[in-house]
Amino acid sequence: MALRMETESDSLTIWLSGELDHHSARRMREEIDAAVERIKPSRLRLNFADVGFMDSSGIGLIMGRFRLMQLYGGTLEVAGASERIRKVIRLAGLDRLNVLKESGEDLSAKDDSGVPHAGR
Amino acid sequence: MKPLNEIKLNFPSRSANEGFARAAVAAFVSQLDPAVDELADIRTAVSEAVTNCIVHAYPDTIGTVYLTVRLFADGKISIKIRDKGCGIADVKQAMEPLFTTGGEERSGLGFSVMESFTDKLRVSSKKGKGTVVTLEKYIALRESAPSAAKPL
C-alpha cells in the first residue's frame, strides 16, 4: 500500500494510515525515507489523522525521521494525532522536540511562515 | 481468587502477529465491558510486550509466544506474555526509559509504555531460558457489567 503524499513548495506532507506497530513501521519508514531522499524537502509533515493505533514503534519512527530531517537541515512536524496517540508521544517526551502540532491546526492548507528555509 | 474466565494463546513470533495478539486480547477483555481508553491502554501494552518477544527474545529465529489472559470479578485483568527466547541479561537496565539494544529505529520505551498504561508490571527473565512479562490492569466495573462467564 502506497502512502498518500503531497508536496507544496518545499514541504512534503505524508499521510500515515492504519495501525502503526513494529510490523507496519518498517514499510512506512522505507516509503517516507525514499520520498525524503528524492524530494529533499525543508519541511516534512507527517499526518497521523488516519492512524488508529500506535505503540512505541511510532515513537521510533518519529525520532528516526526527526534525525533524518536534521541531517538535511530541515524540520519535522507531526499533525493530526488523536488524543490517544498524543498520549504516547508525550510519554516519550517528544512534545519537547516541538514537532507536535495542535490537532485542530490546519496544516495541509497553508503555510503562513513565508520564510524560505535557510538550508535551500 | 479464581478467574471468571481465561484464555491461552500460542503463536509464532512473526511480526504480523503483533496486530493479531492485541486484537485477540481486546476481544476477550471486552467481556468485562471496559471503557474505550482502558481497552486502548491494554492493546498498547500487549503490543509492546509481544513486540519485545519478536524483536528481542527471538532475534534471529521464529519462536513461540505464550499468552495467557485472565479476567477477575473485581475488574482485574491479568495478562502474561512468555517466551523461551534469549532472556534479558539485566532486567533493571532493560526497563530504563530509552535503553534499547534494538538499534536506531527502536525507541527504548516499550517497558515505559507498559508501565504507564497498566497498574502493575512484572518482568522476570533468565539468560538463555526466556522471559515472563505480567501485566495487570484494573478496569472500572459498571452497573451492567459483566455479562462474563460464570466462574470456571
Side-chain angles (χ1 to χ4, degrees):
Chain A
M1 184 198 62
L3 299 172
R4 184 156 74 94
M5 300 187 187
E6 197 177 280
T7 53
E8 196 191 319
S9 60
D10 53 3
S11 287
L12 168 65
T13 303
I14 303 180
W15 281 264
L16 307 180
S17 64
E19 306 209 322
L20 207 180
D21 61 9
H22 156 256
H23 179 68
S24 64
R26 181 188 187 159
R27 201 202 54 238
M28 289 189 196
R29 183 170 72 229
E30 287 169 356
E31 275 196 57
I32 295 167
D33 289 2
V36 167
E37 270 152 40
R38 195 174 65 243
I39 297 163
K40 297 194 169 53
S42 62
R43 175 164 37 198
L44 172 65
R45 291 163 165 168
L46 297 178
N47 191 304
F48 281 72
D50 295 327
V51 177
F53 173 87
M54 184 182 101
D55 64 16
S56 71
S57 305
I59 299 301
L61 182 134
I62 294 170
M63 278 172 23
R65 307 301 67 68
F66 182 80
R67 281 193 290 264
L68 179 69
M69 289 308 292
Q70 271 191 323
L71 205 64
Y72 287 118
T75 57
L76 172 73
E77 287 180 3
V78 170
S82 64
E83 188 40 48
R84 187 70 220 168
I85 288 172
R86 300 169 84 83
K87 191 174 169 183
V88 181
I89 289 176
R90 277 196 300 269
L91 183 83
L94 281 193
D95 44 336
R96 287 197 297 273
L97 293 182
N98 206 22
V99 295
L100 199 59
K101 297 296 152 188
E102 291 304 316
S103 49
E105 210 171 318
D106 186 1
L107 287 154
S108 59
K110 55 177 182 290
D111 171 11
D112 53 9
S113 76
V115 181
H117 197 273
R120 307 214 18 130
Chain B
M1 196 183 0
K2 272 184 137 185
L4 285 174
N5 206 353
E6 176 183 73
I7 54 164
K8 288 178 192 286
L9 280 177
N10 301 341
F11 53 88
S13 61
R14 298 186 191 282
S15 62
N17 286 330
E18 291 157 12
F20 164 74
R22 59 178 183 263
V25 173
F28 181 63
V29 159
S30 293
Q31 292 179 9
L32 287 182
D33 197 20
V36 173
D37 247 11
E38 292 169 332
L39 197 58
D41 286 349
I42 292 166
R43 276 161 49 87
T44 312
V46 168
S47 194
E48 300 293 352
V50 170
T51 300
N52 274 353
C53 297
I54 291 164
V55 175
H56 298 290
Y58 304 114
D60 307 311
T61 50
I62 298 292
T64 303
V65 181
Y66 304 85
L67 188 67
T68 305
V69 188
R70 294 190 176 99
L71 310 181
F72 295 87
D74 60 353
K76 185 173 94 172
I77 296 166
S78 162
I79 303 165
K80 197 180 279 181
I81 301 104
R82 190 166 61 88
D83 66 68
K84 293 181 179 172
C86 64
I88 303 169
D90 184 342
V91 172
K92 197 164 164 280
Q93 182 187 41
M95 291 176 75
E96 278 168 20
L98 304 178
F99 177 84
T100 185
T101 56
E104 279 234 311
E105 291 292 333
R106 305 298 312 162
S107 66
L109 287 168
F111 281 124
S112 302
V113 168
M114 286 183 241
E115 207 157 30
S116 84
F117 286 9
T118 61
D119 296 309
K120 197 171 181 182
L121 166 65
R122 224 171 20 237
V123 183
S124 64
S125 191
K126 228 182 203 154
K127 196 89 185 108
K129 295 276 184 190
T131 301
V132 185
V133 170
T134 309
L135 303 165
E136 280 181 16
K137 175 123 180 133
Y138 285 87
I139 62 157
L141 290 176
R142 300 186 229 184
E143 290 294 309
S144 55
S147 61
K150 297 174 187 113
L152 290 176

